[in-house]
Amino acid sequence: MQTDSKPKISGPGQRLANRALRWWLLALALCWSALAAQAAPVPVLTVHDAIGPASADYIIRGLERAQQQGAPVVVIELDTPGGLDTSMRQIIRAILASTVPVATYVSPSGSRAASAGTYILYASHIAAMAPATTLGAATPVAIGLPGLPQTPKPAPAEGVPSKPASAPADPPPTAPASPMTAKQVNDAAAFIRGLADQRGRNAVWAERAVREAVSLTAAEALQQNVIDLVATDIADLLTQIDGRKVRLAGGELQLGTRGLRTEALPPDWRHRLLSVIANPSFALILLMIGVYGLMFEFSSPGFGVPGTVGAICLLLALFALQLLPVNYAALALILLGFALLAAELVTPAFGVLGIGGVVAFVAGGLLLFDRDVPGLGVPGLGVPLPLIFGLALTAAAAVILGGGMALRARRAPVVSGAEQLIGARGEVTQVTDGQTWARIHGEHWQVRATAPLQPGQRVRVVGMTDLILQVQPEGERHDV
């Protein structure tokens, strides 16, 4: 009979070996998790401003960087009054296509995710808010206008119970009077309903936020399934979402975020500069400085500084305008206004061209940004009227000042040339060989007179023939 020469481990020895193997695998997993967390921290993008081209570029680049680094999740710390519809949709498209989960966190306390912020919150894989924050008021409005008129619902009378949850829903609000407004509101309502359905959030309230501009606090939003959680800070947020399952473009993913370290990615100088020059008011000021700088350089070439500054400002203004919803007919009116104001300085139009330039500039400033492009309730995305009229009055004052200086120069006496010599006085210096010479204005001139002249005699110029002056003795009257 043959026996196996290999010793067999059984009983307590086998159990001890299995336990050691399990502890070794657990330690290996913990080390791997620690190394992964150290290699790929959680990037935190901070948006504390209106949603515009700068913030859209910042978030899209941040998401791309997080995908390249293999980050476990991206946190967008949000505080916004709203923003441009086009920029908001760019951000939402990037979130929906992201292979990294996106957690939008309305923070710190006292912040809001109004208008465009509400859409971004609904589009995110995780929607979170800090205590004492709000969201809502997502009705689209035309850029630069105060907003759509809303008809408030009458409050229930005292003693009348409110409608139970099982009661039929209220009829939809009356459609806006303007077809363009109705079109924008219906499109926005359908858009946010689609986001709510995709993320499993409250679609009914989302539509009310668009049609009725209602808002919620963080606690109310959590109760009504508008957001996923309320967190005191980012560490608390990562702890609460640990183990949650989210649906990405590539499939479902379970989050493992407990104890992960974070990495703040604030906007760099490029995004800060873009945020400044993409402001409509600043873009208009840059345009004005640029055009006037070039005009001054062309009228007085050789100095260099106005042309250089004007060219830089003009290029920055054109870059800012191509980021914003610009009405190009209005831009042409503004440029026409500049041209008319410049023409007023060089042509005797008696103010007609200047007045026309001011009118064209004001009209172009009022119509510069396309009112049919919806913004989302954010103030300041139009050019304020005081700024438009202030720039127009400044341009008119420059034209009036330049015209006044030209008029005074025209009326001033002649100080050079042949005309300046007529009436000038001088003194006869010598009379030789039939030629008489006199010193007039510090120069020696050959002079002629109807009567003989003597050296030292004072004379006055009454005419000029070629380079010979016609004079008469001082004190005599000469009739031409």
Side-chain angles (χ1 to χ4, degrees), residues 186-256:
N186 291 334
D187 176 70
F191 183 51
I192 202 169
R193 276 201 317 270
L195 297 175
D197 293 339
Q198 184 167 359
R199 301 302 184 203
R201 300 194 178 106
N202 191 333
V204 175
W205 183 88
E207 185 167 358
R208 288 189 61 210
V210 173
R211 297 189 180 277
E212 303 173 30
V214 294
S215 299
L216 290 176
T217 63
E220 294 170 342
L222 180 62
Q223 183 181 7
Q224 298 190 30
N225 191 31
V226 174
I227 61 174
D228 299 311
L229 55 99
V230 175
T232 55
D233 53 27
I234 294 180
D236 184 29
L237 167 66
L238 297 178
T239 301
Q240 292 193 48
I241 65 176
D242 182 63
R244 283 178 178 261
K245 292 183 178 180
V246 294
R247 187 170 58 191
L248 301 174
E252 195 174 74
L253 175 67
Q254 184 172 3
L255 300 177

Side-chain angles (χ1 to χ4, degrees), residues 148-155 173 211-212 214:
L148 298 174
Q150 302 291 335
T151 305
K153 291 187 177 181
R211 297 189 180 277
E212 303 173 30
V214 294

Side-chain angles (χ1 to χ4, degrees), residues 160-176:
V160 178
S162 59
K163 184 182 294 185
S166 59
D170 291 334
T174 306

Side-chain angles (χ1 to χ4, degrees), residues 398-464:
V399 171
I400 293 174
L401 179 62
M405 294 173 63
L407 185 60
R408 286 195 297 272
R410 184 181 181 87
R411 292 177 176 176
V414 180
V415 295
S416 63
E419 294 83 357
Q420 182 263 347
L421 289 173
I422 306 300
R425 292 172 170 80
E427 182 180 348
V428 177
T429 57
Q430 62 180 350
V431 180
T432 58
D433 299 331
Q435 294 182 351
T436 306
W437 297 84
R439 179 183 294 274
I440 300 172
H441 285 176
E443 298 175 333
H444 282 87
W445 290 86
Q446 184 179 358
V447 298
R448 291 178 181 174
T450 56
L453 299 175
Q454 302 297 326
Q457 189 175 0
R458 300 286 300 176
V459 294
R460 182 170 61 89
V461 179
V462 296
M464 183 176 182

Side-chain angles (χ1 to χ4, degrees), residues 6-31:
K6 295 181 180 179
K8 294 183 178 179
I9 301 176
S10 61
Q14 180 68 39
R15 288 194 297 271
L16 183 61
N18 292 338
R19 185 178 301 172
L21 179 61
R22 286 196 299 269
W23 279 107
W24 183 81
L25 292 175
L26 179 60
L28 183 62
L30 291 175
C31 291

